[in-house]
């Protein structure tokens, strides 16, 4: 167990990445805390892990997300300070959306800056995430009334790199139109008869059930998110529910007419899975607009991305899928609603393969290997 993975917020994309690395890297051990009370995890998880991670002479690498206060952990556990310390940013607290600047808790961003100073390698899930963090450090530190530290960006930047969040794209051909399935397989370099086995699908796909999953499997997505990176943190939903799950949901919805489920049933009643797969008049069937948290997966499941020309989106999607103003968004939605067949026949023109685990596993393996230091 040369790789020690610590995840202070074991849920959403944080859990997905930790599980993936543990599965793919045989020589590692994982220590976690449940994905709740995020603010307390950021404040106190270092002390918890300092007492609950066993001391071992076999550790060579420490991999943690930026929720953990790495500085405190290293101070409390000097033995871990000797390891190659890798910090992974799913998001950053310097620009994370808040209603008012006064509501931003200085300590969370400050902790992330300190963790970067202690880390040997700092990895971000997008170029936008990295640059927005680094270029915000100077302004952020000006909140300190006096005796401000200097040149922190120049100290941290050389340690930084971008490795996109790795996705194991599951087999969705069972509920995808044939022309889209073929197109995405070509994009990912998959053979026509190749499919992902259920055991290799993303863990969250197996856990998420409900109307939200159904709504995310259709033909158009639009609207800006409340986050700044392509894959959000703990509030992420998931795509790719199996047909068996969908069938179970339909049965439960048909037997439950209570008012408390009115909105959920309303959503389900507008979606007819089997009609959407094949047959029917494309002009007659309604267009479904969804707001999924997981864009990179939504497009893979056949959605047409319509995103703001801002934040991380220009880094991920070609220009034709971006809008600049609310008026542009409204106009494009109106056109698509008039001609839904355009969306249903559309083949995505962006890149998919760079975000796959198949393309990224080499970078993560290189990241999580190192020669033992002489003082270990």
């Amino acid at each position: 167990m040369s790789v020690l993975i610590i995840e202070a917020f074991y849920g959403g994309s944080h859990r997905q990445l930790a599980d993936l690395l543990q599965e793919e890297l045989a020589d590692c051990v994982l220590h976690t805390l449940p994905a709740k009370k995020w603010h307390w995890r950021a404040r106190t998880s270092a002390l918890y892990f300092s007492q609950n991670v066993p001391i071992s002479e076999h550790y060579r690498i420490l991999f943690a997300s930026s929720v953990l206060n790495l500085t405190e952990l290293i101070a409390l556990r000097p033995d871990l300070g000797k390891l190659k310390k890798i910090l992974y940013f799913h998001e950053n607290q310097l620009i994370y959306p808040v209603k008012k600047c006064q509501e931003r808790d200085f300590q969370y961003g400050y902790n992330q800056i300190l963790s970067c100073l202690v880390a040997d390698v700092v990895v971000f899930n997008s170029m936008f995430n990295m640059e927005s963090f680094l270029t915000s450090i100077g302004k952020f530190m000006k909140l300190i009334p006096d005796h401000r530290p200097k040149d922190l960006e120049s100290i941290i930047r050389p340690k930084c790199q971008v490795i996109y969040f790795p996705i194991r794209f599951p087999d969705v051909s069972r509920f995808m139109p044939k022309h889209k399935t073929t197109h995405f397989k070509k994009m990912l370099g998959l053979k026509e008869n190749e499919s992902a086995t259920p055991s290799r699908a993303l863990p969250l796909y197996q856990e998420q059930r409900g109307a939200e999953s159904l709504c995310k499997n259709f033909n158009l997505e639009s609207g800006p998110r409340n986050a700044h990176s392509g894959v959000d943190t703990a509030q992420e939903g998931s795509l790719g529910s199996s047909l068996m799950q969908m069938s179970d949901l339909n049965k439960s919805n048909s037997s439950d007419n209570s008012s408390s489920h009115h909105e959920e049933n309303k959503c389900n009643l507008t979606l007819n899975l089997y009609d959407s797969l094949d047959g029917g008049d494309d002009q007659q069937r309604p267009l479904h607009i969804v707001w999924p948290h997981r864009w990179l997966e939504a497009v893979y499941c056949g959605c047409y991305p319509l995103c703001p020309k801002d934040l991380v989106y220009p880094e991920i999607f070609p220009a034709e899928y971006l809008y600049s103003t609310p008026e542009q968004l409204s106009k494009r939605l109106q056109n698509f609603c008039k001609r839904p067949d355009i969306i249903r026949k559309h083949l995505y023109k962006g890149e998919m393969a760079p975000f796959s685990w198949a393309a990224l596993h080499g970078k993560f393996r290189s990241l999580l290997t190192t020669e033992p230091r002489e003082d270990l």
Side-chain angles (χ1 to χ4, degrees):
M1 49 183 165
S2 64
V3 180
L4 171 62
I5 302 175
I6 294 180
E7 181 48 68
F9 198 85
Y10 188 55
S13 64
H14 292 240
R15 176 174 181 174
Q16 187 174 316
L17 180 59
D19 286 349
L20 179 60
L21 295 179
Q22 186 182 38
E23 291 171 19
E24 295 291 340
L25 303 172
D27 195 24
C28 68
V29 61
L30 175 64
H31 289 270
T32 68
L33 280 171
K36 58 182 180 179
K37 303 185 185 301
W38 180 90
H39 299 88
W40 285 106
R41 297 291 184 256
R43 291 179 180 124
T44 66
S45 62
L47 178 57
Y48 170 83
F49 287 120
S50 72
Q51 295 181 336
N52 288 276
V53 174
I55 295 176
S56 173
E57 62 181 16
H58 299 294
Y59 298 144
R60 292 294 181 270
I61 296 169
L62 170 59
F63 182 94
S65 75
S66 61
V67 175
L68 175 71
N69 188 324
L70 186 59
T71 307
E72 290 182 349
L73 179 63
I74 297 307
L76 293 166
R77 286 286 300 273
D79 59 307
L80 299 181
K82 300 176 182 179
L83 310 182
K84 176 183 177 182
K85 299 172 290 297
I86 303 168
L87 193 67
Y88 191 87
F89 275 74
H90 294 259
E91 45 71 35
N92 79 75
Q93 288 299 312
L94 301 193
I95 67 161
Y96 200 83
V98 292
K99 292 181 179 179
K100 298 179 181 178
C101 184
Q102 293 87 340
E103 295 178 3
R104 187 182 303 279
D105 192 314
F106 179 83
Q107 194 64 41
Y108 302 131
Y110 184 66
N111 287 353
Q112 289 188 331
I113 292 173
L114 290 179
S115 293
C116 288
L117 292 171
V118 170
D120 298 299
V121 183
V122 183
V123 184
F124 293 84
N125 65 352
S126 71
M127 186 64 69
F128 173 81
N129 197 9
M130 182 178 75
E131 288 300 326
S132 64
F133 178 81
L134 292 173
T135 58
S136 297
I137 291 176
K139 179 180 179 181
F140 184 81
M141 297 304 288
K142 287 182 180 179
L143 294 173
I144 301 175
D146 55 15
H147 300 287
R148 303 183 187 106
K150 299 178 181 179
D151 303 321
L152 297 184
E153 178 185 349
S154 62
I155 296 172
I156 295 172
R157 184 175 284 276
K159 305 179 181 184
C160 297
Q161 59 178 284
V162 173
I163 303 181
Y164 286 110
F165 186 92
I167 301 171
R168 275 206 204 117
F169 289 106
D171 179 14
V172 295
S173 58
R174 59 193 180 275
F175 62 84
M176 281 272 284
K178 177 70 174 178
H179 70 288
K180 292 195 176 186
T181 301
T182 303
H183 176 64
F184 285 132
K185 283 185 176 181
K186 289 180 180 178
M187 292 181 68
L188 292 172
L190 301 176
K191 297 179 181 178
E192 183 65 27
N193 61 352
E194 190 177 41
S195 62
T197 59
S199 63
R200 303 294 286 174
L202 295 176
L204 288 183
Y205 290 155
Q206 301 168 1
E207 297 175 1
Q208 185 74 15
R209 302 171 71 96
E212 183 179 357
S213 296
L214 285 172
C215 290
K216 291 177 182 176
N217 290 329
F218 289 78
N219 298 333
L220 174 67
E221 65 175 356
S222 67
R225 285 192 317 167
N226 235 355
H228 59 273
S229 58
V231 178
D232 200 359
T233 55
Q235 297 176 351
E236 293 169 332
S238 66
L239 296 172
S241 297
S242 68
L243 290 178
M244 184 64 72
Q245 291 173 323
M246 295 179 179
S247 176
D248 291 343
L249 284 167
N250 288 336
K251 290 178 182 178
S252 65
N253 287 332
S254 63
S255 62
D256 185 356
N257 295 318
S258 65
S259 58
S260 64
H261 294 281
H262 173 71
E263 289 301 319
E264 181 174 283
N265 289 339
K266 181 179 179 182
C267 175
N268 289 339
L269 289 173
T270 63
L271 307 179
N272 188 321
L273 174 64
Y274 304 100
D275 284 349
S276 70
L277 293 180
D278 209 354
D281 187 345
D282 280 349
Q283 281 297 98
Q284 296 299 319
R285 287 191 288 115
L287 191 68
H288 298 277
I289 302 173
V290 296
W291 279 261
H293 290 289
R294 294 173 175 263
W295 290 84
L296 302 171
E297 289 98 323
V299 173
Y300 177 74
C301 288
C303 293
Y304 182 105
L306 191 51
C307 315
K309 193 175 182 179
D310 195 11
L311 307 176
V312 75
Y313 300 111
E315 184 179 340
I316 298 175
F317 298 112
E320 71 175 274
Y321 302 110
L322 307 177
Y323 64 87
S324 299
T325 66
E327 290 75 21
Q328 289 181 0
L329 171 62
S330 178
K331 184 176 181 180
R332 294 191 69 178
L333 285 176
Q334 289 181 46
N335 291 336
F336 289 152
C337 288
K338 292 175 182 176
R339 289 290 308 280
D341 58 304
I342 295 177
I343 297 299
R344 295 196 169 102
K345 294 176 182 178
H346 179 79
L347 296 178
Y348 180 61
K349 298 178 183 178
E351 293 291 332
M352 193 74 67
F355 305 102
S356 69
W357 171 247
L360 293 168
H361 76 277
K363 292 184 178 181
F364 276 97
R365 288 185 185 279
S366 297
L367 183 70
L368 295 173
T369 57
T370 186
E371 293 297 323
R373 285 171 45 174
E374 295 181 358
D375 56 350
L376 285 177

